[in-house]
Amino acid sequence: GLDLTRAMLARAQPRRAKLDLELVQGDSQRLPFRDGGFDVAVLHLILAIVPDPVLALQETARVVKPGGRVLVLDKFLRAGQCAPLRRALSPLAARVATRLDVVFEEVLAAVEGLELVGDEPALARGWFRRIELIKAA
């Protein structure tokens, strides 16, 4: 488990229970892990809050083995989706916590080596999407 702040890692500590899980402080845009070190990476509500979602996804692709999977859950617009209210509120929401105007297809197009294998609406009438990617072998 990775987080930028010690405070969030401390909150996660009691929740890890009996899981074989190491908690690491680090930046998702500069992952402190070696290339190809993971079979699976989970990006849970991260791509819409980081300053550069493309860089975060590139870093994730770097640390996942060929044939490995990247699982993403976040709020994304779909390519071509107007969503004027979400786009208008995004600058304010980004100052507080999260962006509402990230188009996942644009982020993925800027990252080499990842292929989309699943994309389903998850919560809030499709505002959240459950996405599965595979890294090219």
Side-chain angles (χ1 to χ4, degrees), residues 65-133:
K65 295 177 184 177
R69 302 209 178 265
V70 178
L71 308 174
V72 180
L73 176 74
D74 217 323
K75 61 210 132 326
F76 297 115
L77 293 175
R78 293 195 177 273
Q81 184 179 1
C82 290
L85 181 60
R86 283 177 67 181
R87 290 180 188 276
L89 291 174
S90 189
L92 176 61
R95 288 181 180 263
V96 176
T98 188
R99 291 177 50 197
L100 303 173
D101 63 348
V102 177
V103 178
F104 181 75
E105 289 77 5
E106 293 172 5
V107 174
L108 182 59
V111 178
E112 292 183 21
L114 292 177
E115 177 187 341
L116 181 68
V117 293
D119 182 354
E120 301 175 14
L123 301 166
R125 297 178 58 198
W127 271 41
F128 289 82
R129 292 163 61 186
R130 187 174 33 243
I131 295 170
E132 183 176 357
L133 309 166

Side-chain angles (χ1 to χ4, degrees), residues 4-99:
L4 190 58
T5 68
R6 285 184 187 212
M8 289 303 287
L9 293 173
R11 285 186 68 190
Q13 187 68 26
R15 296 179 182 166
R16 56 185 272 212
K18 297 177 184 172
L19 297 174
D20 182 18
L21 176 67
E22 182 180 345
L23 298 175
V24 176
Q25 185 174 358
D27 184 346
S28 63
Q29 298 170 116
R30 288 169 205 73
L31 291 172
F33 307 116
R34 65 181 169 86
D35 295 0
F38 295 92
D39 295 316
V40 178
V42 178
L43 303 177
H44 183 261
L45 302 175
I46 189 68
L47 291 179
I49 66 167
V50 295
D52 189 341
V54 170
L55 184 55
L57 191 57
Q58 286 172 333
E59 276 292 282
T60 302
R62 178 184 66 76
V63 302
V64 171
K65 295 177 184 177
R69 302 209 178 265
V70 178
L71 308 174
V72 180
L73 176 74
D74 217 323
K75 61 210 132 326
F76 297 115
L77 293 175
R78 293 195 177 273
Q81 184 179 1
C82 290
L85 181 60
R86 283 177 67 181
R87 290 180 188 276
L89 291 174
S90 189
L92 176 61
R95 288 181 180 263
V96 176
T98 188
R99 291 177 50 197

